[in-house]
Amino acid sequence: MKTIIAACSQNLSGSRASVQNALRTLLKVPWPSQRDVRSWLQLLAVLQWMLSFLLLGTVSLLLLIYLIFTRFWPISLLYLAWIIIDWDTPEEGGRRLPCLRRWPVWKHFRDYFPVKLVKTHDLNPSHNYIIGSHPHGILCVGAFCNFITGSTGFGEMFPGIKPFLTTLAGNFRLPIFREYLMSGGLCPVTRRAIRYLLTENGTGNAVAIVIGGAAESLSCRPGVTTLILKNRKGFVRMALQHGAHLVPSFSFGENDLFRQVVFEEGSWMRSIQQRFQKMMGFAPCFFYGRGLTSVQSRGFLPFARPITTVVGEPMTVPQIEDPSDETVEMYHEMYVRLLLKLFNENKTKYGLTETDELHIL
C-alpha cells in the first residue's frame, strides 16, 4: 500500500511540474501587439468584402436550388415569392439600412488600404447630382468605400447629401445578394433607377456612376491611367433631362490594387473578353493580388495601396426635357475639361508625377 501511495504522489508531482512548465512556456510566448490585431482585423474586413461580392450571390442561388429537393423546400418557395413581389424595389430607390453603412467593419476596410475622401467644393442639398466616378479599376474599391460606407465621412463632408452607387442590374437578380446591395445604397445602372432617384426621391441625392464600366477594367494596370469616356454620353443626357448637376470624381491609386494580364487591342484574347463583356455585362479579367497568409504570397486580395478619392467642382446643368445631340456634346466636353483639371491639379499630391497624363478613349 505504501508503495502504491508513493507512486501516486510521484505521478501527481510530475503532472504538477509538467503543468507549471507548460504555463511558464505559454507566458513566455509574446502576445500579439495592437498593431498585429489591427492588421488582422483589416485583412478580415477586406476578405469578407471580397467573398461577399464574388460568392454571396452564387452560393445563395445554389443553396436555394438545393433546398428545393429537401424538406426545407418552403424556404425556397417563400423567397421566390418575395423576389417576385419585391422585383421593382431596386429600381425604386432600394432599401437602405443606415446601420449597415455604419458597420464598424468598414473602418477596418478603410484602414487596410487606406482610403481617403477629399472634398474640394460644397454640394447644395437643394439640388440632385450625378457623380462621375473614375477610374473603374478591377473592383471599384474607392467608389464603394466612399459612397456606400460611412467610414470616410461623406455624410459629414457633404451634409444633406444622400449618396448612391450604381452597379450592374443583373446583380439584383441574385438572391440574398440583392438585399445586401440595396441595404448599402447600391442601385441598378438603368435609366429607370437613376430617373427615380433624380425625380421622385426629393433633392439632395447624389448618384455615383462608374462611367467607364466593365470595358475600362480591361485596361486597368499600375502606372497607366486610361478612361473609357469619349463616347460615354448617356450620363450627360440624363443630367440634362433631369437638371442634375454633374460632379467629376477621381480615385487616385485605384489601378494599383491588383496586377492584371492586359491583352493588347486586336488580340484574340482581348476580343473574347470584349464579346463576353457585351453579352454578360462584365469583363473576365485575369488578375492577382496578395495572398491571405502574407504580403509576398499571391492571391485574390487587393494589395494595400492608398486610395484618395477627390470629389471635384459641381457643374451646373440646365433642365432640358429633350436635349439635342449638340447640347449633349457641349456639356460632355465641359465635363471632360473639368475632370482633366481635377486630375492635373491633384495628381502630384496623391502618388503621380507631373508628367503623368490622363488618357481618354
Side-chain angles (χ1 to χ4, degrees):
M1 180 62 72
K2 291 181 179 180
T3 304
I4 295 175
I5 293 173
C8 290
S9 300
Q10 187 176 0
N11 288 338
L12 288 173
S13 298
S15 299
R16 190 181 299 111
S18 299
V19 171
Q20 290 174 347
N21 289 332
L23 287 173
R24 290 193 191 99
T25 304
L26 183 62
L27 291 174
K28 289 180 181 179
V29 175
W31 289 86
S33 64
Q34 289 186 353
R35 181 178 179 180
D36 291 334
V37 173
R38 283 197 301 268
S39 297
W40 295 340
L41 290 174
Q42 291 166 11
L43 193 63
L44 289 174
V46 174
L47 177 63
Q48 68 81 26
W49 179 77
M50 290 287 294
L51 293 178
S52 296
F53 271 83
L54 296 178
L55 297 177
L56 180 59
T58 304
V59 171
S60 300
L61 179 61
L62 293 176
L63 178 60
L64 288 175
I65 293 174
Y66 168 75
L67 291 178
I68 292 175
F69 302 98
T70 70
R71 60 193 178 95
F72 299 105
W73 61 267
I75 295 177
S76 298
L77 187 62
L78 288 172
Y79 191 80
L80 178 60
W82 164 250
I83 286 184
I84 294 173
I85 295 171
D86 198 53
W87 188 263
D88 292 331
T89 300
E91 294 190 320
E92 295 177 351
R95 194 165 35 247
R96 296 164 67 99
L97 292 178
C99 60
L100 184 67
R101 293 174 59 87
R102 296 193 298 266
W103 199 16
V105 73
W106 298 130
K107 293 183 179 180
H108 299 299
F109 179 86
R110 172 200 65 195
D111 295 338
Y112 171 84
F113 298 96
V115 181
K116 181 182 178 182
L117 181 65
V118 176
K119 169 186 172 180
T120 60
H121 293 77
D122 291 327
L123 298 182
N124 192 332
S126 63
H127 299 294
N128 286 323
Y129 301 88
I130 291 180
I131 300 178
S133 179
H134 311 274
H136 183 284
I138 297 293
L139 292 175
C140 303
V141 173
F144 176 86
C145 191
N146 287 298
F147 302 130
I148 295 303
T149 80
S151 61
T152 57
F154 185 96
E156 291 74 24
M157 290 186 189
F158 302 100
I161 302 297
K162 186 185 296 183
F164 296 85
L165 178 63
T166 58
T167 185
L168 294 174
N171 289 330
F172 295 89
R173 305 303 177 233
L174 294 171
I176 309 300
F177 190 46
R178 69 192 294 274
E179 322 298 340
Y180 178 75
L181 294 177
M182 285 192 290
S183 64
L186 284 115
C187 63
V189 60
T190 61
R191 291 184 180 275
R192 179 184 173 188
I194 297 172
R195 180 173 59 249
Y196 181 93
L197 294 174
L198 297 179
T199 60
E200 300 182 44
N201 202 45
T203 59
N205 300 292
V207 184
I209 304 175
V210 186
I211 308 298
E216 194 172 274
S217 65
L218 296 177
S219 301
C220 168
R221 52 183 167 181
V224 178
T225 311
T226 302
L227 303 183
I228 306 297
L229 180 59
K230 189 173 294 184
N231 295 318
R232 300 290 175 98
K233 301 173 184 176
F235 72 103
V236 177
R237 185 177 296 276
M238 290 205 72
L240 285 165
Q241 289 173 339
H242 305 300
H245 297 185
L246 286 168
V247 184
S249 71
F250 196 93
S251 293
F252 293 91
E254 183 72 47
N255 285 349
D256 298 330
L257 303 183
F258 295 96
R259 299 291 182 270
Q260 180 182 190
V261 179
V262 178
F263 300 100
E264 298 299 327
E265 287 289 344
S267 65
W268 65 275
M269 278 300 297
R270 187 58 172 258
S271 63
I272 290 176
Q273 287 179 311
Q274 291 172 339
R275 288 178 183 177
F276 190 93
Q277 183 261 320
K278 289 180 180 178
M279 289 188 297
M280 303 299 295
F282 65 94
C285 300
F286 300 92
F287 65 90
Y288 68 89
R290 61 156 291 179
L292 185 61
T293 56
S294 69
V295 178
Q296 287 74 28
S297 61
R298 291 189 179 185
F300 64 94
L301 294 176
F303 293 110
R305 302 286 187 269
I307 303 173
T308 304
T309 301
V310 184
V311 179
E313 178 182 359
M315 185 177 80
T316 303
V317 175
Q319 184 170 2
I320 304 173
E321 184 175 348
D322 186 21
S324 64
D325 292 342
E326 291 76 14
T327 302
V328 172
E329 180 67 30
M330 180 182 70
Y331 279 95
H332 184 270
E333 290 178 357
M334 291 170 61
Y335 176 85
V336 172
R337 287 198 297 269
L338 207 59
L339 177 62
L340 288 170
K341 178 184 176 184
L342 175 71
F343 177 82
N344 290 323
E345 287 180 350
N346 292 278
K347 61 183 180 181
T348 56
K349 300 177 185 177
Y350 305 114
L352 300 180
T353 66
E354 192 64 45
T355 57
D356 284 319
E357 296 181 354
L358 187 61
H359 303 283
I360 297 179
L361 302 178

